[in-house]
Amino acid sequence: MRVLGIETSCDDTGVAVYDSDRGLLAHKLASQLQTHGPYGGVVPELAARDHIRVLNPLVSLVLDESGGRHVDGVAYTVGPGLASALLVGAAFGRALAFGWGVPAAGIHHMEGHLLAPMLEEDRPEFPFLALLVSGGHSLLVDVQGIGLYQLLGTTRDDAVGEAFDKTAKLLGLSYPGGPAIAQAAQKGNPDRFHFPRPMTNRPGFDFSFSGLKTYARNIVEGLELNDQTVADVAWAFQDAAIDTLIIKSLRALDAHRHQCLVIGGGVGANIELRRRLGSLAKSHGFSLYYPRSQFCTDNGAMIAYAGWIRLKGGQRDRLGFSVRPRWPLTDLAPIA
Ligand code: KG4
Ligand code: ZN
């Protein structure tokens, strides 16, 4: 089965074709960095307009590259995300499926992230613990199978990616903040600042990241912001954010007797997070899976893959469509 996947939940237009026999045939991403960069964050209306502009040519390119115009199904993100941006991909995808006479499947963006490691050769097997960390979510999920998701922990305020973005902004770094902080941190002095590890001394698996941003602001206010100070604050912020994610993940692995940890979402591209988890996996004896960096951040491949899984499982969306800007992952139906 060959599935076209369309992702437009935020500021990246992602398109891909996944073939259940041959794997990923083609994938492309149109980034809107230049559109939103000057605003230091995503402007929803501009995001939607950019999706409209690039979607048609991008789909054409990807179909050509996949070796043919025939697909057996179309999948598109219907939530969670920015309503106006979601509407573009959902309307386009649903219309294509109708025009081609093939089934359509609206996909949950975070299920896309959760399944993205399955695009790699070395893939996890159920059950596992998933740490999903993006610009909008910080989730620890017990995953027993497709749609069998139990939410163990979530953020009480900012998502971890959002905290990276906001801290980067106050340090005068470019958007998106995650990669900018990671880069600045490389030259940071590890001994200059120490940030707290929020909520780690409380039981449970919930996160809270807005305090880290405030902590950074308080430090920065009393200082001259030269390159070294930016690097030092970036290092200390990243250290605390990563440490917090790791402490809670290890706790959840232990409490729920999981031997496998799966990472997904944009913050999963963070090299330092991967490095530390990699050595902990060895010392603690759990297996660790994540997609290549470009499939951690938003992309069409994960939507095409999740689309194949859902279509294979019998999902058939009606002709009308709607988007779900807020949509708990735990609302998804299990499939056999
Ligand atoms: O999954 P994603 O591409 O979009 C959402 O679903 O939100 O995640 C974007 C988030 C942004 O907050 C971005 O700053 C963060 O992921 N991010 C990173 C890195 N690359 C992207 N955070 C830390 N380190 C990175 N290398
Ligand atoms: Zn995402």
Side-chain angles (χ1 to χ4, degrees), residues 257-294:
R257 301 183 187 286
H258 278 293
Q259 265 113 44
C260 174
L261 177 64
V262 167
I263 313 288
V267 182
N270 187 279
I271 289 174
E272 190 57 20
L273 175 68
R274 289 171 176 244
R275 193 186 63 74
R276 288 193 206 174
L277 276 176
S279 61
L280 282 168
K282 283 197 192 111
S283 59
H284 284 61
F286 61 88
S287 49
L288 177 66
Y289 295 88
Y290 40 73
R292 68 194 89 161
S293 290
Q294 70 181 137

PDB file of all heavy atoms in Angstrom, residues 257-294:
ATOM      1  N   ARG A 257       8.205  -0.610  34.467  1.00  0.00           N
ATOM      2  CA  ARG A 257       8.966  -1.803  34.055  1.00  0.00           C
ATOM      3  C   ARG A 257       9.135  -1.894  32.537  1.00  0.00           C
ATOM      4  O   ARG A 257       8.930  -2.950  31.939  1.00  0.00           O
ATOM      5  CB  ARG A 257       8.304  -3.079  34.575  1.00  0.00           C
ATOM      6  CG  ARG A 257       8.195  -3.098  36.083  1.00  0.00           C
ATOM      7  CD  ARG A 257       7.609  -4.384  36.609  1.00  0.00           C
ATOM      8  NE  ARG A 257       7.392  -4.271  38.042  1.00  0.00           N
ATOM      9  CZ  ARG A 257       8.351  -4.291  38.954  1.00  0.00           C
ATOM     10  NH1 ARG A 257       9.610  -4.445  38.589  1.00  0.00           N
ATOM     11  NH2 ARG A 257       8.080  -4.154  40.241  1.00  0.00           N
ATOM     12  N   HIS A 258       9.482  -0.766  31.958  1.00  0.00           N
ATOM     13  CA  HIS A 258       9.767  -0.779  30.523  1.00  0.00           C
ATOM     14  C   HIS A 258      11.258  -0.992  30.286  1.00  0.00           C
ATOM     15  O   HIS A 258      12.094  -0.505  31.053  1.00  0.00           O
ATOM     16  CB  HIS A 258       9.363   0.554  29.886  1.00  0.00           C
ATOM     17  CG  HIS A 258       7.907   0.633  29.560  1.00  0.00           C
ATOM     18  ND1 HIS A 258       7.315  -0.148  28.585  1.00  0.00           N
ATOM     19  CD2 HIS A 258       6.915   1.396  30.074  1.00  0.00           C
ATOM     20  CE1 HIS A 258       6.029   0.147  28.516  1.00  0.00           C
ATOM     21  NE2 HIS A 258       5.755   1.072  29.415  1.00  0.00           N
ATOM     22  N   GLN A 259      11.548  -1.703  29.202  1.00  0.00           N
ATOM     23  CA  GLN A 259      12.960  -1.899  28.858  1.00  0.00           C
ATOM     24  C   GLN A 259      13.352  -1.119  27.608  1.00  0.00           C
ATOM     25  O   GLN A 259      14.461  -1.233  27.120  1.00  0.00           O
ATOM     26  CB  GLN A 259      13.239  -3.385  28.613  1.00  0.00           C
ATOM     27  CG  GLN A 259      13.782  -4.107  29.838  1.00  0.00           C
ATOM     28  CD  GLN A 259      12.770  -5.117  30.353  1.00  0.00           C
ATOM     29  OE1 GLN A 259      12.178  -5.836  29.556  1.00  0.00           O
ATOM     30  NE2 GLN A 259      12.561  -5.138  31.645  1.00  0.00           N
ATOM     31  N   CYS A 260      12.382  -0.349  27.112  1.00  0.00           N
ATOM     32  CA  CYS A 260      12.627   0.324  25.839  1.00  0.00           C
ATOM     33  C   CYS A 260      12.097   1.755  25.897  1.00  0.00           C
ATOM     34  O   CYS A 260      10.954   1.984  26.292  1.00  0.00           O
ATOM     35  CB  CYS A 260      11.929  -0.481  24.739  1.00  0.00           C
ATOM     36  SG  CYS A 260      11.994   0.281  23.141  1.00  0.00           S
ATOM     37  N   LEU A 261      12.942   2.692  25.518  1.00  0.00           N
ATOM     38  CA  LEU A 261      12.562   4.111  25.506  1.00  0.00           C
ATOM     39  C   LEU A 261      12.616   4.629  24.072  1.00  0.00           C
ATOM     40  O   LEU A 261      13.620   4.432  23.370  1.00  0.00           O
ATOM     41  CB  LEU A 261      13.512   4.919  26.403  1.00  0.00           C
ATOM     42  CG  LEU A 261      13.302   6.430  26.447  1.00  0.00           C
ATOM     43  CD1 LEU A 261      11.946   6.787  27.048  1.00  0.00           C
ATOM     44  CD2 LEU A 261      14.420   7.118  27.246  1.00  0.00           C
ATOM     45  N   VAL A 262      11.540   5.277  23.659  1.00  0.00           N
ATOM     46  CA  VAL A 262      11.450   5.828  22.303  1.00  0.00           C
ATOM     47  C   VAL A 262      11.327   7.342  22.408  1.00  0.00           C
ATOM     48  O   VAL A 262      10.529   7.851  23.207  1.00  0.00           O
ATOM     49  CB  VAL A 262      10.217   5.229  21.584  1.00  0.00           C
ATOM     50  CG1 VAL A 262       9.894   6.002  20.323  1.00  0.00           C
ATOM     51  CG2 VAL A 262      10.455   3.767  21.265  1.00  0.00           C
ATOM     52  N   ILE A 263      12.119   8.051  21.625  1.00  0.00           N
ATOM     53  CA  ILE A 263      12.098   9.514  21.667  1.00  0.00           C
ATOM     54  C   ILE A 263      11.509  10.051  20.365  1.00  0.00           C
ATOM     55  O   ILE A 263      11.856   9.578  19.281  1.00  0.00           O
ATOM     56  CB  ILE A 263      13.532  10.092  21.794  1.00  0.00           C
ATOM     57  CG1 ILE A 263      14.335   9.367  22.864  1.00  0.00           C
ATOM     58  CG2 ILE A 263      13.507  11.600  22.030  1.00  0.00           C
ATOM     59  CD1 ILE A 263      13.919   9.659  24.262  1.00  0.00           C
ATOM     60  N   GLY A 264      10.657  11.041  20.465  1.00  0.00           N
ATOM     61  CA  GLY A 264      10.116  11.671  19.262  1.00  0.00           C
ATOM     62  C   GLY A 264       9.866  13.152  19.501  1.00  0.00           C
ATOM     63  O   GLY A 264       9.813  13.607  20.650  1.00  0.00           O
ATOM     64  N   GLY A 265       9.705  13.903  18.420  1.00  0.00           N
ATOM     65  CA  GLY A 265       9.450  15.346  18.530  1.00  0.00           C
ATOM     66  C   GLY A 265      10.731  16.147  18.374  1.00  0.00           C
ATOM     67  O   GLY A 265      11.841  15.625  18.551  1.00  0.00           O
ATOM     68  N   GLY A 266      10.554  17.436  18.061  1.00  0.00           N
ATOM     69  CA  GLY A 266      11.682  18.298  17.688  1.00  0.00           C
ATOM     70  C   GLY A 266      12.839  18.313  18.674  1.00  0.00           C
ATOM     71  O   GLY A 266      14.009  18.313  18.267  1.00  0.00           O
ATOM     72  N   VAL A 267      12.544  18.332  19.975  1.00  0.00           N
ATOM     73  CA  VAL A 267      13.622  18.390  20.966  1.00  0.00           C
ATOM     74  C   VAL A 267      14.438  17.088  20.954  1.00  0.00           C
ATOM     75  O   VAL A 267      15.597  17.062  21.369  1.00  0.00           O
ATOM     76  CB  VAL A 267      13.063  18.702  22.378  1.00  0.00           C
ATOM     77  CG1 VAL A 267      14.166  18.823  23.408  1.00  0.00           C
ATOM     78  CG2 VAL A 267      12.252  20.001  22.351  1.00  0.00           C
ATOM     79  N   GLY A 268      13.830  16.030  20.418  1.00  0.00           N
ATOM     80  CA  GLY A 268      14.548  14.757  20.265  1.00  0.00           C
ATOM     81  C   GLY A 268      15.730  14.872  19.309  1.00  0.00           C
ATOM     82  O   GLY A 268      16.581  13.976  19.256  1.00  0.00           O
ATOM     83  N   ALA A 269      15.793  15.956  18.548  1.00  0.00           N
ATOM     84  CA  ALA A 269      16.938  16.171  17.650  1.00  0.00           C
ATOM     85  C   ALA A 269      18.150  16.680  18.426  1.00  0.00           C
ATOM     86  O   ALA A 269      19.253  16.751  17.881  1.00  0.00           O
ATOM     87  CB  ALA A 269      16.558  17.176  16.563  1.00  0.00           C
ATOM     88  N   ASN A 270      17.961  17.040  19.687  1.00  0.00           N
ATOM     89  CA  ASN A 270      19.047  17.632  20.475  1.00  0.00           C
ATOM     90  C   ASN A 270      20.189  16.626  20.684  1.00  0.00           C
ATOM     91  O   ASN A 270      19.985  15.552  21.263  1.00  0.00           O
ATOM     92  CB  ASN A 270      18.505  18.107  21.827  1.00  0.00           C
ATOM     93  CG  ASN A 270      19.537  18.873  22.612  1.00  0.00           C
ATOM     94  OD1 ASN A 270      20.393  18.272  23.248  1.00  0.00           O
ATOM     95  ND2 ASN A 270      19.484  20.188  22.546  1.00  0.00           N
ATOM     96  N   ILE A 271      21.345  16.994  20.238  1.00  0.00           N
ATOM     97  CA  ILE A 271      22.486  16.063  20.242  1.00  0.00           C
ATOM     98  C   ILE A 271      22.913  15.694  21.652  1.00  0.00           C
ATOM     99  O   ILE A 271      23.247  14.540  21.938  1.00  0.00           O
ATOM    100  CB  ILE A 271      23.657  16.677  19.443  1.00  0.00           C
ATOM    101  CG1 ILE A 271      23.295  16.664  17.964  1.00  0.00           C
ATOM    102  CG2 ILE A 271      24.950  15.906  19.678  1.00  0.00           C
ATOM    103  CD1 ILE A 271      24.275  17.358  17.084  1.00  0.00           C
ATOM    104  N   GLU A 272      22.880  16.680  22.546  1.00  0.00           N
ATOM    105  CA  GLU A 272      23.288  16.417  23.926  1.00  0.00           C
ATOM    106  C   GLU A 272      22.308  15.457  24.607  1.00  0.00           C
ATOM    107  O   GLU A 272      22.717  14.557  25.347  1.00  0.00           O
ATOM    108  CB  GLU A 272      23.378  17.758  24.674  1.00  0.00           C
ATOM    109  CG  GLU A 272      24.006  17.721  26.037  1.00  0.00           C
ATOM    110  CD  GLU A 272      25.435  17.159  26.071  1.00  0.00           C
ATOM    111  OE1 GLU A 272      26.128  17.122  25.032  1.00  0.00           O
ATOM    112  OE2 GLU A 272      25.830  16.720  27.171  1.00  0.00           O
ATOM    113  N   LEU A 273      21.019  15.627  24.346  1.00  0.00           N
ATOM    114  CA  LEU A 273      20.010  14.701  24.894  1.00  0.00           C
ATOM    115  C   LEU A 273      20.276  13.283  24.396  1.00  0.00           C
ATOM    116  O   LEU A 273      20.260  12.314  25.162  1.00  0.00           O
ATOM    117  CB  LEU A 273      18.604  15.151  24.483  1.00  0.00           C
ATOM    118  CG  LEU A 273      17.446  14.216  24.870  1.00  0.00           C
ATOM    119  CD1 LEU A 273      17.240  14.183  26.387  1.00  0.00           C
ATOM    120  CD2 LEU A 273      16.137  14.633  24.192  1.00  0.00           C
ATOM    121  N   ARG A 274      20.564  13.158  23.117  1.00  0.00           N
ATOM    122  CA  ARG A 274      20.830  11.837  22.537  1.00  0.00           C
ATOM    123  C   ARG A 274      22.092  11.217  23.122  1.00  0.00           C
ATOM    124  O   ARG A 274      22.135  10.021  23.417  1.00  0.00           O
ATOM    125  CB  ARG A 274      20.975  11.959  21.014  1.00  0.00           C
ATOM    126  CG  ARG A 274      19.677  12.250  20.309  1.00  0.00           C
ATOM    127  CD  ARG A 274      19.979  12.564  18.850  1.00  0.00           C
ATOM    128  NE  ARG A 274      18.780  12.767  18.088  1.00  0.00           N
ATOM    129  CZ  ARG A 274      18.388  11.988  17.069  1.00  0.00           C
ATOM    130  NH1 ARG A 274      19.108  10.971  16.680  1.00  0.00           N
ATOM    131  NH2 ARG A 274      17.276  12.258  16.427  1.00  0.00           N
ATOM    132  N   ARG A 275      23.116  12.072  23.278  1.00  0.00           N
ATOM    133  CA  ARG A 275      24.387  11.558  23.795  1.00  0.00           C
ATOM    134  C   ARG A 275      24.206  11.020  25.213  1.00  0.00           C
ATOM    135  O   ARG A 275      24.606   9.908  25.537  1.00  0.00           O
ATOM    136  CB  ARG A 275      25.438  12.666  23.773  1.00  0.00           C
ATOM    137  CG  ARG A 275      26.865  12.199  23.983  1.00  0.00           C
ATOM    138  CD  ARG A 275      27.831  13.380  24.101  1.00  0.00           C
ATOM    139  NE  ARG A 275      27.566  14.238  25.255  1.00  0.00           N
ATOM    140  CZ  ARG A 275      27.837  13.924  26.507  1.00  0.00           C
ATOM    141  NH1 ARG A 275      28.373  12.760  26.804  1.00  0.00           N
ATOM    142  NH2 ARG A 275      27.555  14.764  27.498  1.00  0.00           N
ATOM    143  N   ARG A 276      23.563  11.822  26.055  1.00  0.00           N
ATOM    144  CA  ARG A 276      23.408  11.400  27.455  1.00  0.00           C
ATOM    145  C   ARG A 276      22.510  10.175  27.569  1.00  0.00           C
ATOM    146  O   ARG A 276      22.799   9.267  28.339  1.00  0.00           O
ATOM    147  CB  ARG A 276      22.831  12.540  28.294  1.00  0.00           C
ATOM    148  CG  ARG A 276      23.839  13.637  28.508  1.00  0.00           C
ATOM    149  CD  ARG A 276      23.364  14.590  29.589  1.00  0.00           C
ATOM    150  NE  ARG A 276      23.953  15.899  29.393  1.00  0.00           N
ATOM    151  CZ  ARG A 276      23.641  16.965  30.110  1.00  0.00           C
ATOM    152  NH1 ARG A 276      22.742  16.887  31.060  1.00  0.00           N
ATOM    153  NH2 ARG A 276      24.237  18.131  29.878  1.00  0.00           N
ATOM    154  N   LEU A 277      21.404  10.166  26.817  1.00  0.00           N
ATOM    155  CA  LEU A 277      20.515   9.004  26.884  1.00  0.00           C
ATOM    156  C   LEU A 277      21.217   7.763  26.349  1.00  0.00           C
ATOM    157  O   LEU A 277      21.024   6.657  26.864  1.00  0.00           O
ATOM    158  CB  LEU A 277      19.235   9.266  26.082  1.00  0.00           C
ATOM    159  CG  LEU A 277      18.150  10.034  26.818  1.00  0.00           C
ATOM    160  CD1 LEU A 277      16.979  10.327  25.887  1.00  0.00           C
ATOM    161  CD2 LEU A 277      17.638   9.259  28.046  1.00  0.00           C
ATOM    162  N   GLY A 278      22.050   7.968  25.339  1.00  0.00           N
ATOM    163  CA  GLY A 278      22.797   6.839  24.756  1.00  0.00           C
ATOM    164  C   GLY A 278      23.677   6.165  25.799  1.00  0.00           C
ATOM    165  O   GLY A 278      23.683   4.933  25.919  1.00  0.00           O
ATOM    166  N   SER A 279      24.398   6.959  26.578  1.00  0.00           N
ATOM    167  CA  SER A 279      25.275   6.318  27.564  1.00  0.00           C
ATOM    168  C   SER A 279      24.461   5.763  28.738  1.00  0.00           C
ATOM    169  O   SER A 279      24.808   4.722  29.291  1.00  0.00           O
ATOM    170  CB  SER A 279      26.415   7.242  28.008  1.00  0.00           C
ATOM    171  OG  SER A 279      25.890   8.381  28.596  1.00  0.00           O
ATOM    172  N   LEU A 280      23.337   6.408  29.078  1.00  0.00           N
ATOM    173  CA  LEU A 280      22.494   5.859  30.151  1.00  0.00           C
ATOM    174  C   LEU A 280      21.843   4.536  29.732  1.00  0.00           C
ATOM    175  O   LEU A 280      21.658   3.639  30.558  1.00  0.00           O
ATOM    176  CB  LEU A 280      21.394   6.868  30.522  1.00  0.00           C
ATOM    177  CG  LEU A 280      21.870   8.026  31.401  1.00  0.00           C
ATOM    178  CD1 LEU A 280      20.808   9.113  31.461  1.00  0.00           C
ATOM    179  CD2 LEU A 280      22.188   7.530  32.817  1.00  0.00           C
ATOM    180  N   ALA A 281      21.482   4.447  28.453  1.00  0.00           N
ATOM    181  CA  ALA A 281      20.874   3.198  27.963  1.00  0.00           C
ATOM    182  C   ALA A 281      21.852   2.047  28.183  1.00  0.00           C
ATOM    183  O   ALA A 281      21.453   0.952  28.604  1.00  0.00           O
ATOM    184  CB  ALA A 281      20.513   3.336  26.482  1.00  0.00           C
ATOM    185  N   LYS A 282      23.121   2.320  27.913  1.00  0.00           N
ATOM    186  CA  LYS A 282      24.132   1.262  28.111  1.00  0.00           C
ATOM    187  C   LYS A 282      24.273   0.923  29.593  1.00  0.00           C
ATOM    188  O   LYS A 282      24.228  -0.238  29.985  1.00  0.00           O
ATOM    189  CB  LYS A 282      25.485   1.731  27.562  1.00  0.00           C
ATOM    190  CG  LYS A 282      25.545   1.646  26.066  1.00  0.00           C
ATOM    191  CD  LYS A 282      26.983   1.713  25.570  1.00  0.00           C
ATOM    192  CE  LYS A 282      26.987   1.921  24.065  1.00  0.00           C
ATOM    193  NZ  LYS A 282      27.458   3.231  23.662  1.00  0.00           N
ATOM    194  N   SER A 283      24.421   1.960  30.427  1.00  0.00           N
ATOM    195  CA  SER A 283      24.691   1.676  31.850  1.00  0.00           C
ATOM    196  C   SER A 283      23.450   1.122  32.569  1.00  0.00           C
ATOM    197  O   SER A 283      23.567   0.326  33.481  1.00  0.00           O
ATOM    198  CB  SER A 283      25.227   2.924  32.550  1.00  0.00           C
ATOM    199  OG  SER A 283      24.291   3.976  32.460  1.00  0.00           O
ATOM    200  N   HIS A 284      22.240   1.536  32.124  1.00  0.00           N
ATOM    201  CA  HIS A 284      21.032   1.055  32.803  1.00  0.00           C
ATOM    202  C   HIS A 284      20.396  -0.164  32.124  1.00  0.00           C
ATOM    203  O   HIS A 284      19.436  -0.725  32.642  1.00  0.00           O
ATOM    204  CB  HIS A 284      19.966   2.165  32.874  1.00  0.00           C
ATOM    205  CG  HIS A 284      20.247   3.202  33.916  1.00  0.00           C
ATOM    206  ND1 HIS A 284      21.379   3.989  33.911  1.00  0.00           N
ATOM    207  CD2 HIS A 284      19.551   3.580  35.008  1.00  0.00           C
ATOM    208  CE1 HIS A 284      21.359   4.807  34.944  1.00  0.00           C
ATOM    209  NE2 HIS A 284      20.268   4.583  35.635  1.00  0.00           N
ATOM    210  N   GLY A 285      20.883  -0.499  30.932  1.00  0.00           N
ATOM    211  CA  GLY A 285      20.384  -1.700  30.275  1.00  0.00           C
ATOM    212  C   GLY A 285      19.004  -1.577  29.647  1.00  0.00           C
ATOM    213  O   GLY A 285      18.246  -2.531  29.631  1.00  0.00           O
ATOM    214  N   PHE A 286      18.643  -0.391  29.139  1.00  0.00           N
ATOM    215  CA  PHE A 286      17.406  -0.305  28.351  1.00  0.00           C
ATOM    216  C   PHE A 286      17.764  -0.003  26.903  1.00  0.00           C
ATOM    217  O   PHE A 286      18.860   0.480  26.616  1.00  0.00           O
ATOM    218  CB  PHE A 286      16.429   0.740  28.922  1.00  0.00           C
ATOM    219  CG  PHE A 286      16.939   2.165  28.954  1.00  0.00           C
ATOM    220  CD1 PHE A 286      16.771   3.017  27.873  1.00  0.00           C
ATOM    221  CD2 PHE A 286      17.582   2.657  30.099  1.00  0.00           C
ATOM    222  CE1 PHE A 286      17.240   4.332  27.915  1.00  0.00           C
ATOM    223  CE2 PHE A 286      18.054   3.965  30.146  1.00  0.00           C
ATOM    224  CZ  PHE A 286      17.889   4.808  29.052  1.00  0.00           C
ATOM    225  N   SER A 287      16.854  -0.338  25.990  1.00  0.00           N
ATOM    226  CA  SER A 287      17.140  -0.020  24.588  1.00  0.00           C
ATOM    227  C   SER A 287      16.526   1.334  24.246  1.00  0.00           C
ATOM    228  O   SER A 287      15.505   1.736  24.833  1.00  0.00           O
ATOM    229  CB  SER A 287      16.627  -1.122  23.658  1.00  0.00           C
ATOM    230  OG  SER A 287      15.307  -1.429  23.986  1.00  0.00           O
ATOM    231  N   LEU A 288      17.155   2.015  23.322  1.00  0.00           N
ATOM    232  CA  LEU A 288      16.808   3.400  23.020  1.00  0.00           C
ATOM    233  C   LEU A 288      16.604   3.561  21.518  1.00  0.00           C
ATOM    234  O   LEU A 288      17.440   3.111  20.728  1.00  0.00           O
ATOM    235  CB  LEU A 288      17.968   4.304  23.492  1.00  0.00           C
ATOM    236  CG  LEU A 288      17.865   5.790  23.226  1.00  0.00           C
ATOM    237  CD1 LEU A 288      16.723   6.405  24.023  1.00  0.00           C
ATOM    238  CD2 LEU A 288      19.184   6.481  23.596  1.00  0.00           C
ATOM    239  N   TYR A 289      15.482   4.173  21.152  1.00  0.00           N
ATOM    240  CA  TYR A 289      15.193   4.373  19.724  1.00  0.00           C
ATOM    241  C   TYR A 289      14.762   5.805  19.478  1.00  0.00           C
ATOM    242  O   TYR A 289      13.995   6.373  20.253  1.00  0.00           O
ATOM    243  CB  TYR A 289      14.051   3.456  19.275  1.00  0.00           C
ATOM    244  CG  TYR A 289      14.400   1.994  19.344  1.00  0.00           C
ATOM    245  CD1 TYR A 289      14.185   1.285  20.522  1.00  0.00           C
ATOM    246  CD2 TYR A 289      14.942   1.338  18.247  1.00  0.00           C
ATOM    247  CE1 TYR A 289      14.508  -0.061  20.599  1.00  0.00           C
ATOM    248  CE2 TYR A 289      15.271  -0.008  18.316  1.00  0.00           C
ATOM    249  CZ  TYR A 289      15.046  -0.702  19.496  1.00  0.00           C
ATOM    250  OH  TYR A 289      15.363  -2.020  19.563  1.00  0.00           O
ATOM    251  N   TYR A 290      15.257   6.356  18.405  1.00  0.00           N
ATOM    252  CA  TYR A 290      14.737   7.647  17.950  1.00  0.00           C
ATOM    253  C   TYR A 290      14.923   7.733  16.447  1.00  0.00           C
ATOM    254  O   TYR A 290      15.782   7.055  15.873  1.00  0.00           O
ATOM    255  CB  TYR A 290      15.402   8.829  18.662  1.00  0.00           C
ATOM    256  CG  TYR A 290      16.877   8.714  18.892  1.00  0.00           C
ATOM    257  CD1 TYR A 290      17.769   8.832  17.849  1.00  0.00           C
ATOM    258  CD2 TYR A 290      17.365   8.494  20.179  1.00  0.00           C
ATOM    259  CE1 TYR A 290      19.138   8.739  18.081  1.00  0.00           C
ATOM    260  CE2 TYR A 290      18.725   8.392  20.407  1.00  0.00           C
ATOM    261  CZ  TYR A 290      19.606   8.509  19.358  1.00  0.00           C
ATOM    262  OH  TYR A 290      20.944   8.403  19.593  1.00  0.00           O
ATOM    263  N   PRO A 291      14.131   8.581  15.801  1.00  0.00           N
ATOM    264  CA  PRO A 291      14.314   8.737  14.358  1.00  0.00           C
ATOM    265  C   PRO A 291      15.522   9.618  14.068  1.00  0.00           C
ATOM    266  O   PRO A 291      16.009  10.316  14.960  1.00  0.00           O
ATOM    267  CB  PRO A 291      13.031   9.428  13.913  1.00  0.00           C
ATOM    268  CG  PRO A 291      12.448  10.042  15.123  1.00  0.00           C
ATOM    269  CD  PRO A 291      13.023   9.385  16.331  1.00  0.00           C
ATOM    270  N   ARG A 292      15.995   9.580  12.835  1.00  0.00           N
ATOM    271  CA  ARG A 292      17.033  10.538  12.427  1.00  0.00           C
ATOM    272  C   ARG A 292      16.499  11.944  12.706  1.00  0.00           C
ATOM    273  O   ARG A 292      15.274  12.145  12.742  1.00  0.00           O
ATOM    274  CB  ARG A 292      17.393  10.342  10.957  1.00  0.00           C
ATOM    275  CG  ARG A 292      16.294  10.726  10.010  1.00  0.00           C
ATOM    276  CD  ARG A 292      16.515  10.225   8.594  1.00  0.00           C
ATOM    277  NE  ARG A 292      15.947   8.894   8.424  1.00  0.00           N
ATOM    278  CZ  ARG A 292      15.649   8.339   7.242  1.00  0.00           C
ATOM    279  NH1 ARG A 292      15.933   8.970   6.122  1.00  0.00           N
ATOM    280  NH2 ARG A 292      15.121   7.144   7.166  1.00  0.00           N
ATOM    281  N   SER A 293      17.418  12.894  12.896  1.00  0.00           N
ATOM    282  CA  SER A 293      17.030  14.235  13.364  1.00  0.00           C
ATOM    283  C   SER A 293      15.938  14.873  12.512  1.00  0.00           C
ATOM    284  O   SER A 293      15.022  15.509  13.039  1.00  0.00           O
ATOM    285  CB  SER A 293      18.238  15.155  13.382  1.00  0.00           C
ATOM    286  OG  SER A 293      19.086  14.743  14.403  1.00  0.00           O
ATOM    287  N   GLN A 294      16.015  14.700  11.209  1.00  0.00           N
ATOM    288  CA  GLN A 294      15.046  15.381  10.339  1.00  0.00           C
ATOM    289  C   GLN A 294      13.643  14.791  10.494  1.00  0.00           C
ATOM    290  O   GLN A 294      12.670  15.433  10.095  1.00  0.00           O
ATOM    291  CB  GLN A 294      15.499  15.363   8.877  1.00  0.00           C
ATOM    292  CG  GLN A 294      15.445  14.015   8.238  1.00  0.00           C
ATOM    293  CD  GLN A 294      15.931  14.029   6.800  1.00  0.00           C
ATOM    294  OE1 GLN A 294      16.657  13.149   6.376  1.00  0.00           O
ATOM    295  NE2 GLN A 294      15.530  15.013   6.028  1.00  0.00           N
TER     296      GLN A 294
END
